[in-house]
Amino acid sequence: MSPARAGSVASLLDNTAATERSAADPAAAVLVCLDFGDDGYEEGVAEIARLASSAGARRSQVVRGKRDRPDPKLYAGSGKVEEIGLAADGLNAATVIFNHILSPAQQRNLEKALGRKVLDRTELILRIFAQRAKTSEGKLQVELAQLEHLSTRLVRGWTHLERQRGGLGKTGGPGEKQIELDRRMIATRVRMLKGKLEQFRHRRGVQRRARSRRDVLSVSLVGYTNAGKSTLFNALAHAKAYEADKLFATLDTTTRRIYVPEAGQVVLSDTVGFIRDLPHSLVAAFRATLEETVRADLLLHVVDSASPGRAREAEDVNQVLAEIGADSIPQLAVWNKTDSSGLEPAAERDEYGRICRVLVSARTGAGLAGLRGAIAEAAQLRRHAAQIPDPFLNPTPELSL
């Protein structure tokens, strides 16, 4: 590899395994889903198929299996790997995707055994995020996550050089030196990206402080990917944010100011969707964007009411919220897609008389009036808690004596 190419971070991100078969179909993939006895296995199989489709796989085949524990060398065991290879040959697939987290050594061993590109769940999600990022901030955050993930697996691209050992008593070789150069290059790029993202973070902080001085209620939509957050955002804000029936359709936070009767002006934000086993590098990289969630006054936790795994999905979202420090923010459950689940739109109250769950259909608009009413109640509770005069009850407090 030429020094010029070795000096390019982009080439490292785009680097494919030397074992990848050029004649294989890049739009075909074998999906490996092993059952270790955990709950939600079937939902996981359906989810990885949707993830693969979102990444561009037009043809796929699922290889299943049961194990007590992962194989240390190949994760799936030699017999299952042989079955995976036969499936890949039959499909002429260029890629094998594991619905699991692979160690760098397992990934290298699998690529050597299969002669194809092997992705684990983390790398697949990173690729989807790279495809979806549109704004400058989103692209910077995805690149940061990719580089931090790549730094742990850099040896994969240099196995052909590692065998070149120096002579005359030297124990090192040019391959090891090149790896160190690339690691330093990645570290330099990571520092630069973090510096740029800090500028975005500072800008968001200035905007939040301005809203706080005006006492504007801040509401953030959170939820599992494809729960219908962007559709709900568009319905509430009369906006045109991109929406599609696929995972991670939108990555970048969109914010609009809306008017809610009996609440006044409200700032509504649509954030990136969450998913099971969301890579920690992505959570860390998107922390600046997710601060809109951390600093919100109210979270609308959007749940796909038609999903059979909705309880587990809600739990996964709450785990990510806890990871970013947003688990203490008041939360209102919004069960979306009642037009698909057959549930009736409604606003349900807890034993204290407060609205705790709203059932809506963002697509048809059913139940949105109840949701606006719930937001208004939250705004009034916030004012009373902070002893802030209600502008609708006392529109000119400065003139009161």
Side-chain angles (χ1 to χ4, degrees):
M1 181 175 291
S2 66
R5 180 168 176 79
S8 169
V9 172
S11 70
L12 290 172
L13 290 176
D14 295 336
N15 185 38
T16 56
T19 55
E20 188 174 349
R21 301 186 180 185
S22 58
D25 183 0
V30 172
L31 313 179
V32 182
C33 302
L34 302 182
D35 185 0
F36 294 100
D38 300 326
D39 295 333
Y41 173 74
E42 290 300 331
E43 289 90 341
V45 173
E47 185 172 86
I48 194 65
R50 297 201 66 190
L51 283 170
S53 176
S54 296
R58 292 189 294 271
R59 297 188 301 120
S60 64
Q61 178 180 336
V62 177
V63 174
R64 300 168 179 253
K66 286 189 176 183
R67 289 187 64 89
D68 294 329
R69 63 183 65 86
D71 178 74
K73 182 178 180 181
L74 295 169
Y75 196 89
S78 57
K80 184 59 65 175
V81 169
E82 183 178 350
E83 180 184 343
I84 295 169
L86 292 174
D89 288 339
L91 197 63
N92 193 29
T95 310
V96 174
I97 301 173
F98 275 69
N99 190 28
H100 310 278
I101 308 300
L102 302 175
S103 70
Q106 289 169 335
Q107 193 168 10
R108 288 195 301 271
N109 293 335
L110 285 166
E111 287 186 340
K112 183 177 180 181
L114 295 170
R116 288 173 169 82
K117 181 70 176 177
V118 174
L119 300 177
D120 67 357
R121 184 181 175 87
T122 296
E123 284 196 80
L124 178 61
I125 294 175
L126 285 172
R127 289 197 172 199
I128 296 173
F129 269 55
Q131 294 171 3
R132 300 285 191 270
K134 301 300 181 185
T135 65
S136 298
E137 184 182 15
K139 293 176 181 178
L140 290 174
Q141 291 175 124
V142 171
E143 184 183 354
L144 176 61
Q146 286 180 314
L147 287 175
E148 291 186 330
H149 179 73
L150 175 65
S151 64
T152 65
R153 298 166 184 256
L154 194 58
V155 67
R156 290 177 51 215
W158 301 104
T159 52
H160 63 296
L161 293 178
E162 282 186 314
R163 290 191 296 270
Q164 301 177 18
R165 299 297 179 185
L168 300 178
K170 296 180 180 179
T171 59
E176 292 174 322
K177 293 178 182 177
Q178 186 63 64
I179 291 173
E180 293 304 318
L181 287 173
D182 287 338
R183 282 176 178 161
R184 284 196 293 271
M185 180 177 63
I186 288 177
T188 300
R189 179 69 177 172
V190 164
R191 285 195 298 271
M192 186 273 290
L193 291 173
K194 288 183 176 179
K196 288 187 175 182
L197 289 172
E198 182 61 29
Q199 296 175 8
F200 281 101
R201 181 174 179 272
H202 176 73
R203 191 179 310 163
R204 290 180 185 277
V206 171
Q207 295 170 347
R208 280 193 298 270
R209 285 193 294 272
R211 293 198 297 264
S212 178
R213 285 194 296 269
R214 293 192 295 269
D215 186 41
V216 178
L217 182 73
S218 177
V219 178
S220 286
L221 299 174
V222 298
Y224 210 77
T225 181
N226 205 45
K229 292 189 292 73
S230 295
T231 305
L232 182 60
F233 176 84
N234 288 337
L236 290 172
H238 305 291
K240 296 182 179 179
Y242 178 71
E243 55 184 82
D245 185 20
K246 56 185 177 183
L247 304 185
F248 301 116
T250 55
L251 294 185
D252 304 302
T253 296
T254 305
T255 301
R256 293 288 187 276
R257 188 184 294 269
I258 65 175
Y259 177 81
V260 177
E262 300 185 19
Q265 296 294 326
V266 174
V267 172
L268 183 67
S269 298
D270 180 24
T271 58
V272 62
F274 301 150
I275 198 169
R276 178 177 60 88
D277 296 330
L278 187 66
H280 293 291
S281 58
L282 271 178
V283 175
F286 274 75
R287 190 168 294 277
T289 297
L290 294 173
E291 277 195 358
E292 290 298 315
T293 299
V294 177
R295 307 294 183 182
D297 300 308
L298 174 67
L299 300 181
L300 299 183
H301 185 163
V302 184
V303 178
D304 181 357
S305 65
S307 171
R310 61 195 180 199
R312 180 186 58 80
E313 291 169 0
E315 182 180 347
D316 291 333
V317 171
N318 286 326
Q319 287 179 358
V320 177
L321 291 175
E323 185 175 348
I324 65 175
D327 51 335
S328 61
I329 298 175
Q331 189 178 127
L332 174 65
V334 181
W335 280 32
N336 190 24
K337 303 185 182 181
T338 56
D339 53 314
S340 298
S341 63
L343 298 174
E344 289 296 323
E348 300 178 352
R349 297 182 180 272
D350 59 19
E351 61 270 25
Y352 304 105
R354 297 179 180 178
I355 297 178
C356 60
R357 182 171 68 174
V358 182
L359 287 81
V360 304
S361 170
R363 184 71 64 187
T364 66
L368 291 184
L371 178 56
R372 292 189 181 94
I375 294 174
E377 281 195 20
Q380 292 169 357
L381 287 171
R382 176 174 172 269
R383 288 195 189 98
H384 294 157
Q387 295 182 341
I388 298 173
D390 191 327
F392 293 93
L393 299 177
N394 188 7
T396 55
E398 67 274 12
L399 298 180
S400 301
L401 297 177

